[in-house]
Amino acid sequence: MRADAARNQAKVLAAAEELFATRGAAAVTMDDIAKAAGVGRGTLYRRFPDRASIAVALLDQHEKDLQTRLMSGPPPLGPGAPPSERLAAFYDAMLDLLDRHVHLVLGTEVGASRFATGAYGFWRAHVRSLIADLPDPDALTDVLLAPLAPDVFAHQRSRGIGVDRQRSALARLAAGVLSGRGRHP
């Protein structure tokens, strides 16, 4: 990438992150981002076709870091812990990510687009591997990921349900599903 293109991309991402954090992704237009970054609309649209693609770029590094910790980090998030502990640790890590970046996730996961993101595919494969021994793990996987939808997270926060309460509820869910109670037909 040319140096000026890299500078423009950095300006766009910094402006978008600030706007998304202060106003919410849904309230930010591409024109808002171009103006805040000090770039023309053409420059913005050459690299990013829409607001969601900008949010995806911002989230990318945070998600890659979590993926690395899932694959090779210390237990219980990384390999070596029982599946129920790994699922609870995954929920913890995802709640931390949502707590810091829900405004970005809300900008990337609009309707069914949530299921098309590479990160969702990775999270799905991870959770499915943890429940592979349960009946119908393909159906159960998305059910176990549903509480991590950014709109669910934001809704619970707006109702006064903090991250600690969400963390506790999801730990009980992980323990219940993987303790044998999830094995009934």
Side-chain angles (χ1 to χ4, degrees):
M1 180 182 302
R2 294 183 340 240
D4 60 331
R7 276 191 304 276
N8 285 338
Q9 180 174 327
K11 289 193 301 189
V12 164
L13 292 175
E17 187 159 31
E18 175 67 23
L19 289 169
F20 289 169
T22 58
R23 294 176 23 194
V28 176
T29 67
M30 292 293 277
D31 282 339
D32 294 336
I33 295 168
K35 287 175 189 169
V39 300
R41 289 182 62 194
T43 297
L44 177 64
Y45 280 101
R46 260 192 298 283
R47 177 66 177 98
F48 300 104
D50 54 32
R51 186 182 61 216
S53 65
I54 295 171
V56 167
L58 288 167
L59 271 177
D60 190 48
Q61 190 56 53
H62 303 297
E63 291 173 336
K64 283 180 182 177
D65 292 344
L66 178 52
Q67 290 170 3
T68 298
R69 294 185 337 209
L70 285 168
M71 293 185 304
S72 58
L77 186 59
S84 63
E85 291 178 28
R86 290 201 72 201
L87 182 58
F90 170 70
Y91 280 147
D92 282 351
M94 286 298 295
L95 286 173
D96 288 343
L97 183 109
L98 286 168
D99 193 38
R100 288 189 315 271
H101 305 293
V102 72
H103 58 283
L104 296 178
V105 182
L106 284 168
T108 64
E109 295 186 3
V110 179
S113 71
R114 172 178 199 228
F115 308 109
T117 66
Y120 187 85
F122 186 92
W123 310 144
R124 191 177 195 293
H126 175 67
V127 171
R128 186 177 183 312
S129 75
L130 298 175
I131 63 167
D133 294 338
L134 296 180
D136 204 359
D138 290 321
L140 185 56
T141 299
D142 293 311
V143 170
L144 292 173
L145 286 168
L148 298 172
D151 50 343
V152 171
F153 176 84
H155 173 72
Q156 287 197 318
R157 292 300 298 272
S158 75
R159 295 193 63 214
I161 301 170
V163 174
D164 289 339
R165 286 178 62 199
Q166 291 178 24
R167 194 179 315 279
S168 178
L170 291 174
R172 288 192 308 276
L173 176 63
V177 166
L178 288 163
S179 70
R181 288 184 251 161
R183 296 183 192 277
H184 301 290

